[in-house]
């Protein structure tokens, strides 16, 4: 059994139906889906028991009604496990994971900036990429924000103080 | 005086990095006790732009994410798109990708070595290293036609082939680079000007490097043996044997030594790749539309792990293209290195992670009288420079 299969079996055994669609897409790439309430438990298990000690990044994506977050974590720099979870776009809130992976703080700031997801418990969600005077509530990576709208904000020079 | 701290703001117009980034240092006496980072001054919204452009147009955007490691970005991007398409680029093109990637690593590391020397006030070394860096810039131009933004990669292969004449010139250039780099490494190891400013400066222990997610030479200088080229091989790296360079000094000197020794290793990789490179096609034609799929692509850029997550939706434009550059991954480690150090050491520690800045080596001269723009070649610039000095 390859190392990828061992990891997959362990996660299946430990979390059962709480992890969905877990697949080995190709050597060294595993994708899985879960509900946000199990996310931290799975990440803790991956870090402490399976040896995933590096977080590569967090990808955020606008799916229409929901925002999808993908946590890319790595085992010995080789096997990338991508765990997907979704938060409702109306009230996008999820617990921070900086207690598990300290460098995640900067990736959470990025997702907060561009997609407006609140990471509860992250002490610093100040703007990372967007200007300080960027209008509140405009999250440029959301699909309903058009290029024209972004252009208009930039031409105006941001929101007046 | 405990409890009374003073804020020192460095940037965004940084005097050392030539890159807009703001560091707010909390200092107590001569010591740094806390650091806050503000980036985003050159955020261009490339991820959003990619969603609105075709895969081929996205290739040109990814080339322009970074001025120094543009080849790493396109390699990562095209690998992701090729995975979505389910195609394999021809073997010869995979070797050409390795060769250009390693030439780029040599140029990036030598550029960094010059900057590191400048940061510690050793401008003689800076001048020498940048003179020698011209050799690798010429090699990159020989292979790709460009000194920066090489545009060698395309979806399904590479755009230019190598012939015997170019290979011979490259081997000659590599010999010069090898000799010079060995010389510098020998000198740096015993030169007090370097040692006094770098030994035990900006320490990052092995456990902290892992904890704070350091990547690339920054991690390897702290004894973390991680390199995407070996751990998660791509292009033709699985067909070439080479060493992962690791130092356990955990300080700025270790970061210099890692990059210096990696230059030598890169030269070895290029020679091996030239020997093993098979004949054949260099690219395959691909369809513009890609059925729904997702791919996570990683490469070892000169600064460390670079990651692209690309998702297709059946059209000729990606649904999402996420980019994570190595410098962002190294920012938490950088904050850790700065805390507890002297203010005077901040520049070399900042430079230690090799933050990325864009550069342009060719100029566009606008002739006001004739109202026409003319692109100058390197030779024209050199000639102009010589004439200007003679006239003076």
């Amino acid at each position: 059994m390859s190392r990828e299969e061992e990891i997959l079996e362990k996660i299946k055994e430990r979390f059962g139906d709480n992890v969905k669609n877990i697949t080995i897409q190709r050597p060294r790439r595993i994708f899985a889906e879960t509900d946000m309430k199990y996310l931290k438990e799975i990440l803790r298990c991956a870090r402490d028991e399976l040896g995933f000690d590096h977080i590569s990044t967090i990808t955020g994506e606008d799916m229409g009604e929901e925002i999808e977050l993908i946590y890319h974590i790595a085992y010995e720099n080789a096997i990338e496990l991508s765990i997907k979870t979704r938060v409702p776009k109306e009230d996008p809130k999820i617990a921070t994971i900086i207690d598990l992976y300290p460098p995640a703080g900067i990736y959470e700031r990025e997702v907060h900036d561009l997609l407006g997801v609140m990471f509860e418990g992250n002490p610093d969600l100040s703007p990372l990429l967007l200007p300080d005077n960027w209008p509140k509530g405009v999250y440029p990576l959301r699909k309903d924000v058009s290029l024209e709208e972004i252009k208009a904000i930039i031409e105006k020079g941001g929101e007046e103080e | 005086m405990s409890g009374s701290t003073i804020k020192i703001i460095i940037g965004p117009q940084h005097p050392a990095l030539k890159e807009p980034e703001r560091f707010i240092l909390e200092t107590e006496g001569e010591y740094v006790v806390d650091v806050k980072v503000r980036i985003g001054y050159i955020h261009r919204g490339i991820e959003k732009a990619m969603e609105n452009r075709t895969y081929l147009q996205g290739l040109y955007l990814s080339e322009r994410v970074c001025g120094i490691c543009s080849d790493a970005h396109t390699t990562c991007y095209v690998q992701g798109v090729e995975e979505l398409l389910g195609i394999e680029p021809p073997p010869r093109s995979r070797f050409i990708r390795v060769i250009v990637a390693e030439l780029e690593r040599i140029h990036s590391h030598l550029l960094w070595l010059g900057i590191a020397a400048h940061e510690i006030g050793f401008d003689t070394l800076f001048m020498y290293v940048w003179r020698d860096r011209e050799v690798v810039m010429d090699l990159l131009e020989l292979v790709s036609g460009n000194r920066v933004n090489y545009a060698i990669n395309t979806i399904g292969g590479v755009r230019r082939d190598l012939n015997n004449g170019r290979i011979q010139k490259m081997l000659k250039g590599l010999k010069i680079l090898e000799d010079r780099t060995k010389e510098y490494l020998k000198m740096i190891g015993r030169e007090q000007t370097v040692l006094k400013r770098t030994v035990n400066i900006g320490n990052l222990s092995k456990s902290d490097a892992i904890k704070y997610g350091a990547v690339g030479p920054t991690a390897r200088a702290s004894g973390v043996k991680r390199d995407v080229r070996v751990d998660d091989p791509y292009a033709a790296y699985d067909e070439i044997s080479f060493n992962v360079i690791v130092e356990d000094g955990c300080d700025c000197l270790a970061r210099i030594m890692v990059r210096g020794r990696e230059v030598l290793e890169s030269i070895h990789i290029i020679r091996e790749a030239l020997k093993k490179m098979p004949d054949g096609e260099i690219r395959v034609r691909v369809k513009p539309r890609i059925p729904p799929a997702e791919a996570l692509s990683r490469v070892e850029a000169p600064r460390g792990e670079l990651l692209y997550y690309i998702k297709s939706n059946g059209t000729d434009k990606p649904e999402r293209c996420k980019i994570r550059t190595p410098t962002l991954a190294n920012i938490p480690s950088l904050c850790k290195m700065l805390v507890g150090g002297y203010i005077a050491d901040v520049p070399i520690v900042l430079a230690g992670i090799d933050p990325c800045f864009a550069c342009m080596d060719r100029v566009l001269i606008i002739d006001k009288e004739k109202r026409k723009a003319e692109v100058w070649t390197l030779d024209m610039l050199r000639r102009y420079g010589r004439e200007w000095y003679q006239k003076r």
Side-chain angles (χ1 to χ4, degrees):
Chain A
M1 194 153 63
S2 70
R3 187 78 194 121
E4 289 89 331
E5 283 164 351
E6 278 173 36
I7 291 167
L8 184 129
E9 286 306 318
K10 267 192 186 157
I11 294 175
K12 267 188 180 166
E13 189 187 312
R14 189 66 207 278
F15 294 98
D17 287 345
N18 295 341
V19 175
K20 290 183 188 70
N21 297 336
I22 183 161
T23 45
I24 300 170
Q25 196 195 37
R26 70 163 174 92
R28 303 184 297 277
R29 295 287 182 278
I30 309 175
F31 283 82
E33 284 168 30
T34 187
D35 193 276
M36 61 189 258
K37 62 184 174 217
Y38 307 117
L39 176 76
K40 276 190 93 161
E41 219 179 302
I42 296 167
L43 287 175
R44 184 171 288 119
C45 166
R47 187 193 68 160
D48 296 342
E49 291 166 36
L50 301 173
F52 282 83
D53 57 3
H54 176 76
I55 178 151
S56 290
T57 191
I58 303 171
T59 300
E61 196 198 336
D62 184 355
M63 308 293 285
E65 294 294 302
E66 289 166 314
I67 289 171
E68 186 173 78
L69 298 169
I70 314 175
Y71 293 77
H72 306 280
I73 53 175
Y75 164 79
E76 290 188 344
N77 198 32
I79 301 173
E80 281 274 342
L81 170 61
S82 302
I83 305 173
K84 299 176 180 178
T85 190
R86 289 185 181 199
V87 293
K89 204 164 155 187
E90 285 293 299
D91 184 27
K93 269 189 209 153
I94 191 166
T96 180
I97 59 157
I98 50 171
D99 46 334
L100 295 173
Y101 293 100
I106 204 158
Y107 306 132
E108 289 183 349
R109 271 173 82 181
E110 184 185 345
V111 177
H112 173 258
D113 256 22
L114 302 176
L115 285 152
V117 177
M118 277 301 299
F119 291 88
E120 289 175 314
N122 185 330
D124 183 14
L125 283 177
S126 57
L128 181 77
L129 296 172
L130 296 179
D132 289 331
N133 61 353
W134 189 262
K136 297 238 165 4
V138 180
Y139 303 110
L141 260 190
R142 288 196 181 180
K143 300 278 185 199
D144 47 21
V145 177
S146 66
L147 288 182
E148 286 70 34
E149 197 176 331
I150 293 172
K151 209 174 148 197
I153 294 169
I154 293 168
E155 274 170 6
K156 213 176 125 201
E159 200 176 45
E160 275 154 42
E161 296 282 321
Chain B
M1 283 286 284
S2 73
S4 60
T5 58
I6 291 173
K7 273 199 180 100
I8 296 181
I9 296 173
I10 301 184
Q13 278 82 10
H14 204 288
L17 297 172
K18 322 273 184 299
E19 179 186 42
E21 217 173 11
R22 189 175 63 188
F23 293 89
I24 303 155
L25 306 174
E26 196 91 36
T27 62
E28 201 174 303
E30 284 293 312
Y31 291 100
V32 178
V33 293
D34 196 16
V35 191
K36 277 206 166 58
V37 187
R38 177 76 165 93
I39 58 172
Y41 293 93
I42 39 173
H43 180 68
R44 291 155 289 172
I46 285 183
E47 291 179 20
K48 180 88 176 175
M50 278 189 173
E51 289 174 12
N52 292 282
R53 282 168 178 80
T54 64
Y55 288 99
L56 196 61
Q57 289 173 322
L59 171 67
Y60 293 87
L61 271 177
S62 74
E63 185 95 48
R64 281 150 186 82
V65 172
C66 174
I68 295 181
C69 50
S70 66
D71 181 71
H73 278 272
T74 55
T75 306
C76 201
Y77 175 80
V78 297
Q79 279 181 182
V81 177
E82 283 160 4
E83 196 182 323
L84 293 175
L85 280 159
I87 59 154
E88 279 281 321
R92 190 175 173 86
S93 73
R94 293 192 285 121
F95 278 85
I96 294 175
R97 280 182 189 170
V98 166
I99 292 163
V100 178
E102 294 309 317
L103 285 173
E104 181 180 75
R105 194 177 318 276
I106 295 171
H107 117 71
S108 176
H109 281 359
L110 289 180
L111 180 139
W112 177 83
L113 182 59
I115 301 224
H118 172 71
E119 296 301 350
I120 56 175
F122 195 177
D123 277 333
T124 316
L125 180 59
F126 162 64
M127 296 286 181
Y128 271 106
V129 171
W130 277 42
R131 180 198 66 185
D132 297 334
R133 178 176 161 266
E134 282 303 307
V135 176
V136 70
M137 298 308 284
D138 288 347
L139 291 185
L140 278 163
E141 181 165 17
L142 180 79
V143 176
S144 71
N146 293 317
R147 281 164 61 87
V148 288
N149 290 358
Y150 323 107
I152 190 85
N153 286 314
T154 190
I155 301 165
V158 292
R159 294 177 57 238
R160 278 167 73 117
D161 204 354
L162 277 170
N163 61 25
N164 198 35
R166 285 183 191 155
I167 291 172
Q168 292 313 319
K169 277 188 190 162
M170 201 187 304
L171 290 171
K172 238 164 106 187
L174 288 177
K175 181 80 185 93
I176 300 170
L177 288 166
E178 187 181 27
D179 292 346
R180 297 303 305 172
T181 310
K182 278 186 177 158
E183 185 74 27
Y184 295 134
L185 281 173
K186 208 163 89 190
M187 183 276 290
I188 288 165
R190 54 171 194 227
E191 174 61 54
Q192 289 300 319
T193 320
V194 179
L195 299 179
K196 289 266 185 209
R197 291 296 314 275
T198 55
V199 175
N200 257 329
I201 303 294
N203 285 330
L204 182 76
S205 68
K206 185 175 175 179
S207 59
D208 277 344
I210 295 172
K211 185 178 166 194
Y212 292 100
V215 296
T218 309
R220 291 195 285 277
S222 291
V224 182
K225 197 172 178 179
R226 281 181 185 173
D227 189 320
V228 179
R229 290 175 291 173
V230 173
D231 303 329
D232 190 0
Y234 57 94
Y237 283 109
D238 50 351
E239 291 171 50
I240 298 163
S241 68
F242 62 98
N243 298 319
V244 176
I245 306 292
V246 180
E247 289 270 338
D248 40 24
C250 304
D251 55 9
C252 283
L253 180 68
R255 282 165 216 140
I256 293 178
M257 297 312 271
V258 160
R259 292 193 176 93
R261 289 172 57 203
E262 278 188 11
V263 170
L264 297 178
E265 206 60 34
S266 292
I267 293 170
H268 161 76
I269 294 172
I270 297 171
R271 286 182 180 146
E272 285 294 302
L274 287 172
K275 256 187 247 163
K276 290 187 175 167
M277 188 164 64
D279 289 331
E281 288 293 307
I282 56 163
R283 69 183 288 190
V284 289
R285 293 268 161 208
V286 297
K287 292 195 185 85
R289 282 169 212 285
I290 304 181
E294 59 187 345
L296 186 64
S297 173
R298 296 164 85 210
V299 303
E300 183 76 19
R303 286 157 193 78
E305 175 202 33
L306 169 69
L307 181 142
Y308 272 60
Y309 169 80
I310 314 174
K311 193 171 165 186
S312 54
N313 56 6
T315 67
D316 59 351
K317 294 178 181 122
E319 179 72 20
R320 178 83 172 91
C321 182
K322 160 85 188 169
I323 307 167
R324 206 294 320 282
T325 61
T327 302
L328 187 66
N330 276 332
I331 294 278
S333 312
L334 172 66
C335 294
K336 175 71 193 158
M337 289 175 208
L338 287 169
V339 171
Y342 282 122
I343 300 171
D345 291 328
V346 168
I348 179 66
V349 178
L350 284 187
I353 68 157
D354 192 5
C356 205
F357 62 84
C359 66
M360 272 297 284
D361 281 321
R362 229 181 266 272
V363 265
L364 186 72
I365 307 274
I366 310 275
D367 193 329
K368 265 191 194 159
E369 280 165 28
K370 289 183 196 155
R371 285 180 175 276
K372 85 175 186 202
E374 189 185 355
V375 177
W376 279 34
T377 64
L378 184 67
D379 282 337
M380 286 162 78
L381 262 182
R382 279 186 182 145
R383 216 176 303 130
Y384 176 78
R386 273 200 298 272
E387 281 164 12
W388 189 83
Y389 271 103
Q390 274 162 9
K391 268 190 229 154
R392 213 162 59 116

